[in-house]
Protein backbone atom coordinates (compact mmCIF):
# COMPACT_ATOMS: atom_id res chain seq x y z
CA UNK A 1 0.00 0.00 0.00
CA UNK A 2 2.42 2.63 -1.23
CA UNK A 3 -0.27 5.04 -2.32
CA UNK A 4 -3.55 6.21 -0.93
CA UNK A 5 -6.64 4.30 -2.04
CA UNK A 6 -9.69 5.84 -3.67
CA UNK A 7 -12.96 5.90 -1.78
CA UNK A 8 -14.56 3.77 -4.52
CA UNK A 9 -12.05 1.03 -3.82
CA UNK A 10 -12.84 1.10 -0.14
CA UNK A 11 -16.63 1.13 -0.72
CA UNK A 12 -16.55 -1.94 -2.97
CA UNK A 13 -19.82 -3.89 -2.73
CA UNK A 14 -18.66 -6.80 -4.91
CA UNK A 15 -17.57 -9.24 -2.24
CA UNK A 16 -16.24 -11.79 -4.74
CA UNK A 17 -13.93 -9.33 -6.44
CA UNK A 18 -12.92 -7.92 -3.08
CA UNK A 19 -11.74 -11.37 -1.96
CA UNK A 20 -10.40 -12.08 -5.47
CA UNK A 21 -12.30 -15.35 -5.85
CA UNK A 22 -14.72 -16.70 -8.43
CA UNK A 23 -18.45 -16.93 -7.69
CA UNK A 24 -18.22 -20.72 -7.53
CA UNK A 25 -15.41 -20.60 -4.95
CA UNK A 26 -15.38 -23.32 -2.29
CA UNK A 27 -15.14 -22.67 1.43
CA UNK A 28 -11.43 -23.59 1.37
CA UNK A 29 -10.75 -21.06 -1.40
CA UNK A 30 -12.62 -18.36 0.50
CA UNK A 31 -10.72 -19.08 3.69
CA UNK A 32 -7.31 -19.04 1.96
CA UNK A 33 -8.02 -15.72 0.23
CA UNK A 34 -9.40 -14.21 3.43
CA UNK A 35 -6.28 -15.10 5.43
CA UNK A 36 -3.99 -13.71 2.75
CA UNK A 37 -5.87 -10.39 2.57
CA UNK A 38 -6.02 -10.10 6.37
CA UNK A 39 -2.25 -10.34 6.53
CA UNK A 40 -1.93 -7.80 3.71
CA UNK A 41 -4.35 -5.20 5.12
CA UNK A 42 -3.71 -5.63 8.83
CA UNK A 43 -3.54 -2.09 10.33
CA UNK A 44 -0.52 -2.94 12.46
CA UNK A 45 1.61 -3.38 9.33
CA UNK A 46 1.39 0.33 8.42
CA UNK A 47 2.94 3.22 10.30
CA UNK A 48 1.66 6.10 8.19
CA UNK A 49 -1.58 7.36 9.88
CA UNK A 50 -3.47 7.78 6.59
CA UNK A 51 -2.46 4.35 5.28
CA UNK A 52 -3.21 2.84 8.65
CA UNK A 53 -6.74 4.32 8.56
CA UNK A 54 -7.41 3.04 5.04
CA UNK A 55 -5.94 -0.36 5.88
CA UNK A 56 -8.31 -0.60 8.83
CA UNK A 57 -11.29 0.16 6.59
CA UNK A 58 -10.20 -2.46 4.06
CA UNK A 59 -9.53 -4.98 6.82
CA UNK A 60 -13.07 -4.52 8.16
CA UNK A 61 -14.57 -4.71 4.67
CA UNK A 62 -12.71 -7.94 3.90
CA UNK A 63 -13.92 -9.39 7.18
CA UNK A 64 -17.51 -8.39 6.35
CA UNK A 65 -17.26 -9.97 2.89
CA UNK A 66 -15.91 -13.21 4.30
CA UNK A 67 -18.66 -13.38 6.96
CA UNK A 68 -21.31 -13.11 4.24
CA UNK A 69 -19.79 -15.53 1.72
CA UNK A 70 -18.75 -18.13 4.30
CA UNK A 71 -22.34 -18.48 5.53
CA UNK A 72 -24.47 -20.49 3.03
CA UNK A 73 -27.68 -18.64 3.93
CA UNK A 74 -26.18 -15.14 3.63
CA UNK A 75 -24.28 -16.12 0.48
CA UNK A 76 -27.47 -17.37 -1.21
CA UNK A 77 -29.26 -14.11 -0.36
CA UNK A 78 -26.27 -12.06 -1.59
CA UNK A 79 -26.11 -14.01 -4.87
CA UNK A 80 -29.76 -13.19 -5.60
CA UNK A 81 -30.15 -9.61 -4.32
CA UNK A 82 -26.67 -8.38 -3.49
CA UNK A 83 -25.84 -6.30 -0.46
CA UNK A 84 -29.25 -4.60 -0.34
CA UNK A 85 -30.91 -7.97 0.21
CA UNK A 86 -28.87 -8.50 3.37
CA UNK A 87 -30.08 -5.18 4.77
CA UNK A 88 -33.70 -6.37 4.94
CA UNK A 89 -34.78 -7.24 8.48
CA UNK A 90 -36.17 -10.69 9.21
CA UNK A 91 -33.65 -13.06 7.58
CA UNK A 92 -32.54 -14.29 11.02
CA UNK A 93 -35.82 -16.19 11.47
CA UNK A 94 -35.95 -17.66 7.97
CA UNK A 95 -35.19 -21.33 7.47
CA UNK A 96 -31.75 -22.04 6.09
CA UNK A 97 -30.86 -24.09 2.97
CA UNK A 98 -33.45 -22.45 0.71
CA UNK A 99 -33.35 -22.31 -3.05
CA UNK A 100 -32.87 -18.99 -4.94
CA UNK A 101 -36.57 -18.99 -5.88
CA UNK A 102 -37.60 -19.42 -2.24
CA UNK A 103 -35.16 -16.71 -1.16
CA UNK A 104 -36.65 -14.35 -3.75
CA UNK A 105 -40.17 -15.07 -2.44
CA UNK A 106 -39.02 -14.54 1.15
CA UNK A 107 -37.28 -11.30 0.20
CA UNK A 108 -40.49 -9.93 -1.34
CA UNK A 109 -42.44 -10.91 1.79
CA UNK A 110 -39.95 -9.15 4.07
CA UNK A 111 -40.07 -6.09 1.80
CA UNK A 112 -43.86 -5.96 2.13
CA UNK A 113 -43.60 -6.24 5.92
CA UNK A 114 -41.06 -3.43 5.99
CA UNK A 115 -43.36 -1.20 3.91
CA UNK A 116 -46.24 -1.98 6.26
CA UNK A 117 -44.08 -1.00 9.24
CA UNK A 118 -43.07 2.23 7.50
CA UNK A 119 -46.72 3.05 6.80
CA UNK A 120 -47.67 2.33 10.41
CA UNK A 121 -44.85 4.50 11.68
CA UNK A 122 -45.95 7.35 9.42
CA UNK A 123 -49.63 7.19 10.36
CA UNK A 124 -48.86 6.16 13.98
CA UNK A 125 -52.33 4.74 14.68
CA UNK A 126 -53.33 4.55 18.33
CA UNK A 127 -56.49 3.17 19.82
CA UNK A 128 -58.10 2.36 23.15
CA UNK A 129 -61.10 0.19 23.94
CA UNK A 130 -62.31 0.20 27.53
CA UNK A 131 -65.17 -1.98 28.78
CA UNK A 132 -66.32 -1.45 32.38
CA UNK A 133 -67.91 -4.47 34.05
CA UNK A 134 -70.07 -4.39 37.18
CA UNK A 135 -69.60 -7.72 38.98
CA UNK A 136 -70.57 -6.60 42.50
CA UNK A 137 -73.34 -9.21 42.59
CA UNK A 138 -70.65 -11.90 42.82
CA UNK A 139 -69.73 -10.89 46.37
CA UNK A 140 -72.19 -8.32 47.74
CA UNK A 141 -75.18 -10.64 47.33
CA UNK A 142 -73.66 -13.24 49.65
CA UNK A 143 -72.88 -10.55 52.21
CA UNK A 144 -76.52 -9.43 52.07
CA UNK A 145 -77.73 -13.03 52.37
CA UNK A 146 -75.52 -13.55 55.42
CA UNK A 147 -76.93 -10.42 57.08
CA UNK A 148 -80.50 -11.57 56.41
CA UNK A 149 -79.84 -15.02 57.87
CA UNK A 150 -78.03 -13.66 60.94
CA UNK A 151 -80.87 -11.17 61.43
CA UNK A 152 -83.27 -14.07 62.00
CA UNK A 153 -85.75 -13.39 59.21
CA UNK A 154 -85.38 -16.98 58.06
CA UNK A 155 -85.22 -15.99 54.41
CA UNK A 156 -82.79 -17.67 52.13
CA UNK A 157 -81.26 -14.99 49.83
CA UNK A 158 -81.72 -14.46 46.20
CA UNK A 159 -81.18 -17.64 44.26
CA UNK A 160 -80.02 -17.99 40.70
CA UNK A 161 -76.88 -16.86 38.98
CA UNK A 162 -75.11 -13.61 39.92
CA UNK A 163 -76.00 -10.63 37.77
CA UNK A 164 -72.99 -9.27 35.83
CA UNK A 165 -73.40 -6.38 33.41
CA UNK A 166 -71.39 -3.97 31.27
CA UNK A 167 -72.12 -0.51 32.66
CA UNK A 168 -69.71 1.63 30.61
CA UNK A 169 -67.68 1.61 27.42
CA UNK A 170 -65.16 3.92 25.81
CA UNK A 171 -63.60 3.72 22.34
CA UNK A 172 -61.00 6.15 21.02
CA UNK A 173 -58.79 6.16 17.93
CA UNK A 174 -56.25 8.53 16.41
CA UNK A 175 -54.04 8.60 13.31
CA UNK A 176 -51.33 10.96 12.08
CA UNK A 177 -50.89 12.12 8.50
CA UNK A 178 -47.56 13.83 7.64
CA UNK A 179 -48.26 16.72 5.27
CA UNK A 180 -44.70 18.02 4.90
CA UNK A 181 -41.41 17.46 6.69
CA UNK A 182 -42.55 19.90 9.39
CA UNK A 183 -46.37 19.69 9.31
CA UNK A 184 -48.53 16.85 10.59
CA UNK A 185 -52.31 16.45 10.77
CA UNK A 186 -53.76 14.42 13.65
CA UNK A 187 -57.32 13.09 13.48
CA UNK A 188 -58.85 11.57 16.61
CA UNK A 189 -62.27 10.61 17.87
CA UNK A 190 -63.95 8.88 20.77
CA UNK A 191 -67.27 7.38 21.83
CA UNK A 192 -68.37 6.82 25.43
CA UNK A 193 -71.39 5.40 27.19
CA UNK A 194 -72.20 5.01 30.88
CA UNK A 195 -75.38 3.47 32.29
CA UNK A 196 -77.26 4.03 29.07
CA UNK A 197 -76.10 7.61 28.47
CA UNK A 198 -73.35 8.38 26.00
CA UNK A 199 -71.74 10.76 23.61
CA UNK A 200 -68.79 11.28 21.33
CA UNK A 201 -66.43 13.82 19.86
CA UNK A 202 -64.04 14.28 16.97
CA UNK A 203 -60.87 16.37 16.93
CA UNK A 204 -58.52 17.63 14.24
CA UNK A 205 -55.09 18.98 15.16
CA UNK A 206 -52.45 20.56 12.95
CA UNK A 207 -48.89 20.40 14.30
CA UNK A 208 -45.90 22.31 12.98
CA UNK A 209 -42.30 21.80 14.07
CA UNK A 210 -40.98 25.34 14.25
CA UNK A 211 -37.39 24.46 15.15
CA UNK A 212 -35.25 21.82 16.79
CA UNK A 213 -36.35 23.23 20.13
CA UNK A 214 -40.12 23.27 19.81
CA UNK A 215 -43.40 22.86 17.99
CA UNK A 216 -46.91 24.30 18.02
CA UNK A 217 -50.32 22.73 17.55
CA UNK A 218 -53.79 24.08 16.74
CA UNK A 219 -56.78 21.92 17.66
CA UNK A 220 -60.41 21.99 16.52
CA UNK A 221 -63.06 19.73 18.00
CA UNK A 222 -66.78 19.07 18.12
CA UNK A 223 -69.00 16.80 20.17
CA UNK A 224 -72.60 16.24 21.20
CA UNK A 225 -71.97 16.80 24.92
CA UNK A 226 -69.56 19.74 25.24
CA UNK A 227 -69.95 21.60 21.96
CA UNK A 228 -67.21 23.02 19.70
CA UNK A 229 -63.64 23.29 20.96
CA UNK A 230 -60.71 25.44 19.94
CA UNK A 231 -57.26 24.95 21.46
CA UNK A 232 -53.61 25.86 21.10
CA UNK A 233 -50.66 23.82 22.40
CA UNK A 234 -46.99 24.80 22.50
CA UNK A 235 -43.87 22.79 23.36
CA UNK A 236 -40.48 24.40 23.91
CA UNK A 237 -37.06 23.23 25.08
CA UNK A 238 -35.75 25.95 27.39
CA UNK A 239 -32.36 24.33 27.99
CA UNK A 240 -30.80 20.93 27.38
CA UNK A 241 -32.25 19.78 30.71
CA UNK A 242 -35.52 21.69 30.88
CA UNK A 243 -38.67 22.04 28.76
CA UNK A 244 -42.15 23.50 29.09
CA UNK A 245 -45.59 23.01 27.55
CA UNK A 246 -48.64 25.26 27.49
CA UNK A 247 -52.17 24.34 26.42
CA UNK A 248 -55.03 26.82 26.28
CA UNK A 249 -58.52 26.09 25.01
CA UNK A 250 -62.05 27.44 24.77
CA UNK A 251 -65.08 25.16 25.05
CA UNK A 252 -68.32 26.53 23.53
CA UNK A 253 -71.57 25.28 24.99
CA UNK A 254 -75.14 26.40 25.70
CA UNK A 255 -73.92 27.72 29.07
CA UNK A 256 -71.38 29.98 27.41
CA UNK A 257 -67.65 29.88 26.80
CA UNK A 258 -65.50 27.94 29.26
CA UNK A 259 -61.81 28.85 28.92
CA UNK A 260 -58.99 26.69 30.25
CA UNK A 261 -55.22 26.89 30.58
CA UNK A 262 -52.65 24.23 31.50
CA UNK A 263 -48.91 24.79 31.80
CA UNK A 264 -46.17 22.38 32.74
CA UNK A 265 -42.48 22.79 33.51
CA UNK A 266 -40.20 19.73 33.47
CA UNK A 267 -36.55 19.36 34.33
CA UNK A 268 -33.98 16.55 34.30
CA UNK A 269 -32.79 16.26 37.90
CA UNK A 270 -30.23 13.63 36.93
CA UNK A 271 -29.69 10.99 34.26
CA UNK A 272 -32.72 8.91 35.30
CA UNK A 273 -34.90 11.38 37.22
CA UNK A 274 -37.43 13.96 35.98
CA UNK A 275 -39.27 16.59 37.97
CA UNK A 276 -42.63 18.03 36.84
CA UNK A 277 -44.62 21.06 38.00
CA UNK A 278 -48.09 21.59 36.51
CA UNK A 279 -50.66 24.32 36.96
CA UNK A 280 -54.22 24.13 35.62
CA UNK A 281 -56.78 26.92 35.51
CA UNK A 282 -60.42 26.41 34.52
CA UNK A 283 -63.37 24.37 35.75
CA UNK A 284 -61.02 22.20 37.87
CA UNK A 285 -58.18 24.50 38.86
CA UNK A 286 -55.29 22.64 40.43
CA UNK A 287 -51.56 22.47 40.89
CA UNK A 288 -49.51 19.30 41.16
CA UNK A 289 -45.90 18.30 41.28
CA UNK A 290 -44.27 14.93 40.68
CA UNK A 291 -40.89 13.24 40.59
CA UNK A 292 -40.33 10.29 38.25
CA UNK A 293 -37.26 8.08 38.39
CA UNK A 294 -36.88 5.49 35.63
CA UNK A 295 -33.94 3.06 35.51
CA UNK A 296 -33.27 -0.21 33.76
CA UNK A 297 -34.61 -2.23 36.68
CA UNK A 298 -37.21 0.04 38.32
CA UNK A 299 -39.67 2.91 37.93
CA UNK A 300 -40.63 5.21 40.84
CA UNK A 301 -43.20 8.03 40.96
CA UNK A 302 -44.11 10.45 43.73
CA UNK A 303 -46.86 13.03 43.15
CA UNK A 304 -48.80 15.63 45.14
CA UNK A 305 -51.89 17.44 43.79
CA UNK A 306 -53.86 20.40 45.20
CA UNK A 307 -57.31 21.28 43.85
CA UNK A 308 -58.19 24.91 44.56
CA UNK A 309 -61.97 24.49 44.15
CA UNK A 310 -62.34 21.02 45.58
CA UNK A 311 -60.48 19.90 48.70
CA UNK A 312 -61.87 16.31 48.41
CA UNK A 313 -59.82 15.86 45.20
CA UNK A 314 -56.46 16.76 46.80
CA UNK A 315 -54.21 13.70 47.09
CA UNK A 316 -50.69 12.34 47.51
CA UNK A 317 -49.53 9.33 45.50
CA UNK A 318 -46.49 7.05 45.43
CA UNK A 319 -45.85 4.10 43.10
CA UNK A 320 -43.00 1.67 42.46
CA UNK A 321 -42.42 -0.78 39.63
CA UNK A 322 -39.74 -3.46 39.45
CA UNK A 323 -38.57 -4.69 36.02
CA UNK A 324 -37.27 -8.24 35.72
CA UNK A 325 -34.41 -8.67 33.27
CA UNK A 326 -35.99 -11.55 31.33
CA UNK A 327 -37.20 -12.16 27.78
CA UNK A 328 -40.85 -11.67 28.79
CA UNK A 329 -40.17 -8.16 30.17
CA UNK A 330 -42.09 -9.03 33.34
CA UNK A 331 -42.90 -6.17 35.73
CA UNK A 332 -44.49 -6.06 39.18
CA UNK A 333 -45.88 -2.83 40.58
CA UNK A 334 -47.56 -1.32 43.58
CA UNK A 335 -48.96 2.10 44.48
CA UNK A 336 -50.63 3.99 47.31
CA UNK A 337 -52.89 7.00 46.74
CA UNK A 338 -54.39 8.88 49.67
CA UNK A 339 -56.42 12.07 50.00
CA UNK A 340 -59.56 13.58 51.44
CA UNK A 341 -61.59 11.21 49.23
CA UNK A 342 -60.06 8.11 50.90
CA UNK A 343 -57.17 5.73 50.30
CA UNK A 344 -56.51 3.36 47.41
CA UNK A 345 -53.86 0.63 47.30
CA UNK A 346 -53.04 -1.01 43.98
CA UNK A 347 -50.73 -3.89 43.07
CA UNK A 348 -50.28 -5.94 39.93
CA UNK A 349 -48.01 -7.30 37.23
CA UNK A 350 -47.57 -7.34 33.48
CA UNK A 351 -45.67 -9.56 31.08
CA UNK A 352 -45.03 -9.98 27.39
CA UNK A 353 -47.08 -12.86 25.95
CA UNK A 354 -46.07 -12.49 22.29
CA UNK A 355 -43.90 -10.36 20.05
CA UNK A 356 -46.36 -7.45 20.01
CA UNK A 357 -48.62 -8.15 23.01
CA UNK A 358 -48.29 -7.29 26.70
CA UNK A 359 -50.84 -8.51 29.27
CA UNK A 360 -51.25 -6.91 32.68
CA UNK A 361 -53.55 -7.18 35.69
CA UNK A 362 -53.95 -4.80 38.64
CA UNK A 363 -55.94 -5.22 41.87
CA UNK A 364 -57.33 -2.01 43.38
CA UNK A 365 -58.40 -1.97 47.05
CA UNK A 366 -59.72 1.25 48.54
CA UNK A 367 -62.04 3.07 50.87
CA UNK A 368 -64.78 3.84 49.93
CA UNK A 369 -64.22 2.49 46.38
CA UNK A 370 -64.13 -1.20 47.33
CA UNK A 371 -62.29 -3.87 45.33
CA UNK A 372 -61.69 -3.84 41.58
CA UNK A 373 -59.70 -5.91 39.10
CA UNK A 374 -58.24 -4.13 36.07
CA UNK A 375 -57.06 -6.18 33.10
CA UNK A 376 -55.12 -4.52 30.29
CA UNK A 377 -53.88 -5.90 26.99
CA UNK A 378 -51.52 -3.88 24.81
CA UNK A 379 -51.40 -5.15 21.24
CA UNK A 380 -48.94 -3.08 19.17
CA UNK A 381 -50.41 0.44 19.37
CA UNK A 382 -53.86 -0.71 20.50
CA UNK A 383 -54.92 -0.91 24.17
CA UNK A 384 -57.78 -3.02 25.52
CA UNK A 385 -58.79 -2.18 29.09
CA UNK A 386 -61.29 -4.11 31.25
CA UNK A 387 -61.97 -2.63 34.72
CA UNK A 388 -64.07 -5.10 36.72
CA UNK A 389 -65.73 -3.73 39.88
CA UNK A 390 -66.09 -6.65 42.30
CA UNK A 391 -67.51 -5.10 45.49
CA UNK A 392 -68.14 -1.77 47.21
CA UNK A 393 -66.84 -3.16 50.50
CA UNK A 394 -63.46 -4.41 51.73
CA UNK A 395 -64.10 -8.15 51.55
CA UNK A 396 -61.10 -10.48 52.00
CA UNK A 397 -62.72 -13.02 49.67
CA UNK A 398 -62.91 -10.44 46.86
CA UNK A 399 -59.26 -9.46 47.36
CA UNK A 400 -58.21 -13.12 47.36
CA UNK A 401 -60.05 -14.06 44.16
CA UNK A 402 -58.99 -10.86 42.40
CA UNK A 403 -55.36 -11.73 43.18
CA UNK A 404 -55.29 -15.50 42.68
CA UNK A 405 -57.86 -15.78 39.87
CA UNK A 406 -55.95 -13.91 37.11
CA UNK A 407 -52.69 -15.61 38.13
CA UNK A 408 -54.15 -19.12 37.90
CA UNK A 409 -55.93 -18.27 34.65
CA UNK A 410 -52.73 -16.87 33.09
CA UNK A 411 -50.62 -19.88 34.12
CA UNK A 412 -53.24 -22.25 32.71
CA UNK A 413 -53.50 -20.39 29.40
CA UNK A 414 -49.71 -20.07 29.19
CA UNK A 415 -49.22 -23.80 29.72
CA UNK A 416 -52.18 -25.16 27.78
CA UNK A 417 -52.48 -22.72 24.88
CA UNK A 418 -49.70 -20.16 24.40
CA UNK A 419 -46.65 -22.39 24.79
CA UNK A 420 -48.01 -25.25 22.62
CA UNK A 421 -49.08 -22.72 19.98
CA UNK A 422 -45.64 -21.08 19.92
CA UNK A 423 -43.96 -24.46 19.67
CA UNK A 424 -46.20 -25.48 16.76
CA UNK A 425 -45.41 -22.23 14.94
CA UNK A 426 -41.69 -22.82 15.42
CA UNK A 427 -42.14 -26.36 14.11
CA UNK A 428 -43.78 -25.28 10.84
CA UNK A 429 -40.49 -24.67 9.03
CA UNK A 430 -38.93 -27.89 10.33
CA UNK A 431 -41.97 -29.89 9.24
CA UNK A 432 -41.68 -28.70 5.64
CA UNK A 433 -38.07 -29.79 5.51
CA UNK A 434 -38.82 -33.18 7.12
CA UNK A 435 -41.70 -33.85 4.70
CA UNK A 436 -39.49 -33.06 1.70
CA UNK A 437 -36.87 -35.50 2.98
CA UNK A 438 -39.46 -38.23 3.63
CA UNK A 439 -41.10 -37.76 0.23
CA UNK A 440 -37.77 -38.14 -1.54
CA UNK A 441 -37.31 -41.64 -0.05
CA UNK A 442 -40.98 -42.69 0.09
CA UNK A 443 -40.83 -42.54 3.87
CA UNK A 444 -43.24 -41.73 6.71
CA UNK A 445 -45.56 -38.74 6.27
CA UNK A 446 -48.21 -37.85 8.88
CA UNK A 447 -51.32 -36.76 6.98
CA UNK A 448 -53.56 -36.09 9.98
CA UNK A 449 -53.24 -36.68 13.71
CA UNK A 450 -55.52 -35.93 16.64
CA UNK A 451 -55.07 -36.29 20.39
CA UNK A 452 -57.69 -36.20 23.12
CA UNK A 453 -61.04 -37.75 23.97
CA UNK A 454 -62.84 -39.53 21.11
CA UNK A 455 -66.50 -40.59 21.27
CA UNK A 456 -66.92 -43.97 19.52
CA UNK A 457 -69.75 -45.56 21.55
CA UNK A 458 -73.19 -44.96 20.00
CA UNK A 459 -74.71 -44.66 23.47
CA UNK A 460 -72.49 -41.64 24.16
CA UNK A 461 -73.14 -39.75 20.92
CA UNK A 462 -74.53 -36.82 22.91
CA UNK A 463 -71.05 -36.21 24.33
CA UNK A 464 -68.74 -33.91 22.41
CA UNK A 465 -65.30 -35.10 21.36
CA UNK A 466 -62.49 -32.94 22.72
CA UNK A 467 -59.39 -33.33 20.59
CA UNK A 468 -56.53 -31.19 19.26
CA UNK A 469 -54.71 -31.34 15.94
CA UNK A 470 -51.15 -32.65 16.50
CA UNK A 471 -50.17 -33.30 12.88
CA UNK A 472 -47.29 -30.81 12.90
CA UNK A 473 -45.67 -31.76 16.25
CA UNK A 474 -46.01 -35.47 15.43
CA UNK A 475 -44.31 -35.05 12.05
CA UNK A 476 -41.43 -33.30 13.83
CA UNK A 477 -40.85 -36.50 15.84
CA UNK A 478 -40.33 -38.55 12.67
CA UNK A 479 -36.69 -39.47 12.14
CA UNK A 480 -35.34 -41.72 9.38
CA UNK A 481 -38.90 -42.75 8.41
CA UNK A 482 -39.63 -43.92 11.96
CA UNK A 483 -41.89 -42.66 14.73
CA UNK A 484 -41.21 -43.98 18.23
CA UNK A 485 -43.26 -42.93 21.29
CA UNK A 486 -42.51 -44.28 24.78
CA UNK A 487 -44.89 -45.47 27.50
CA UNK A 488 -45.67 -42.02 28.89
CA UNK A 489 -48.53 -39.52 28.61
CA UNK A 490 -48.42 -37.88 25.21
CA UNK A 491 -49.59 -34.57 26.70
CA UNK A 492 -45.97 -33.89 27.60
CA UNK A 493 -44.68 -34.17 24.03
CA UNK A 494 -43.49 -30.95 22.34
CA UNK A 495 -46.49 -29.15 20.79
CA UNK A 496 -49.03 -31.29 22.70
CA UNK A 497 -51.25 -30.30 25.64
CA UNK A 498 -54.06 -31.92 27.59
CA UNK A 499 -57.44 -30.92 26.02
CA UNK A 500 -59.49 -32.78 28.65
CA UNK A 501 -57.76 -32.96 32.02
CA UNK A 502 -58.56 -36.06 34.06
CA UNK A 503 -60.29 -37.98 31.25
CA UNK A 504 -59.17 -40.93 29.15
CA UNK A 505 -57.33 -39.87 26.02
CA UNK A 506 -55.89 -41.51 22.92
CA UNK A 507 -53.92 -40.69 19.78
CA UNK A 508 -55.40 -41.24 16.34
CA UNK A 509 -53.49 -40.69 13.13
CA UNK A 510 -53.62 -41.13 9.40
CA UNK A 511 -50.25 -41.49 7.70
CA UNK A 512 -48.55 -42.61 4.52
CA UNK A 513 -45.63 -45.06 4.38
CA UNK A 514 -44.05 -46.45 1.23
CA UNK A 515 -46.83 -44.83 -0.80
CA UNK A 516 -49.55 -46.71 1.15
CA UNK A 517 -52.02 -45.04 3.51
CA UNK A 518 -52.42 -46.39 7.05
CA UNK A 519 -54.29 -45.48 10.20
CA UNK A 520 -53.41 -46.02 13.84
CA UNK A 521 -55.10 -45.64 17.22
CA UNK A 522 -53.27 -45.99 20.53
CA UNK A 523 -53.85 -45.12 24.18
CA UNK A 524 -52.42 -42.12 25.99
CA UNK A 525 -49.65 -44.03 27.80
CA UNK A 526 -49.26 -46.80 25.22
CA UNK A 527 -45.90 -47.19 23.47
CA UNK A 528 -45.99 -46.70 19.72
CA UNK A 529 -43.57 -47.66 16.96
CA UNK A 530 -44.26 -46.92 13.31
CA UNK A 531 -44.13 -48.49 10.73
CA UNK A 532 -44.42 -51.76 12.68
CA UNK A 533 -47.79 -51.10 14.34
CA UNK A 534 -50.23 -50.17 11.60
CA UNK A 535 -52.86 -51.54 9.27
CA UNK A 536 -53.88 -50.55 5.78
CA UNK A 537 -57.11 -48.62 5.19
CA UNK A 538 -59.78 -50.62 3.45
CA UNK A 539 -61.47 -49.15 0.43
CA UNK A 540 -64.79 -48.96 2.25
CA UNK A 541 -63.33 -47.27 5.35
Amino acid sequence: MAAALDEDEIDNDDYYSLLNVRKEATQDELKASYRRLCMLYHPDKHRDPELKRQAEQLFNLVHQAYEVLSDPQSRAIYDVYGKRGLEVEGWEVVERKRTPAEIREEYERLQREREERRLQQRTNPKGTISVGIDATDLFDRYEEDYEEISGGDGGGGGGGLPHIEINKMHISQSIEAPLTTTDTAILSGSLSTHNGNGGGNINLALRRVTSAKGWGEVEFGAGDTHGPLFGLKIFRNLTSRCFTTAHCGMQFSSRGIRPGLTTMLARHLDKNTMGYLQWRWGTQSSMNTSIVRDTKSSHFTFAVAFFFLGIPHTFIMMSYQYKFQDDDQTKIKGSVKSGFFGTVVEYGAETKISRHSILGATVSVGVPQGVSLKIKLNRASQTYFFPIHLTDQLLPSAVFYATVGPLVFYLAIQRLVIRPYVRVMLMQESVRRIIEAEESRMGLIILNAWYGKFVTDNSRKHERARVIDVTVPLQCLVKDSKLILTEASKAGLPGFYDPCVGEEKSLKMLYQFRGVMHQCLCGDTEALRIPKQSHRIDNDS
Side-chain angles (χ1 to χ4, degrees), residues 116-136:
E116 290 175 358
R117 287 196 299 269
R118 284 180 177 175
L119 179 62
Q120 186 175 27
Q121 290 171 357
R122 290 188 63 187
T123 57
N124 193 25
K126 297 179 182 178
T128 300
I129 297 178
S130 176
V131 179
I133 301 173
D134 183 0
T136 54

Side-chain angles (χ1 to χ4, degrees), residues 133-139 141 159-166 389:
I133 301 173
D134 183 0
T136 54
D137 204 33
L138 283 172
F139 296 95
R141 65 183 304 210
L161 296 175
H163 180 65
I164 300 175
E165 65 177 6
I166 297 176
H389 189 45

Side-chain angles (χ1 to χ4, degrees), residues 359-400:
L359 179 64
T362 303
V363 179
S364 177
V365 182
V367 178
Q369 291 85 355
V371 182
S372 297
L373 171 64
K374 303 173 184 178
I375 299 175
K376 184 169 69 171
L377 173 64
N378 289 329
R379 173 69 178 172
S381 58
Q382 303 294 314
T383 300
Y384 304 90
F385 186 54
F386 302 92
I388 306 172
H389 189 45
L390 299 178
T391 175
D392 295 323
Q393 308 173 53
L394 291 182
L395 299 179
S397 59
V399 177
F400 174 79

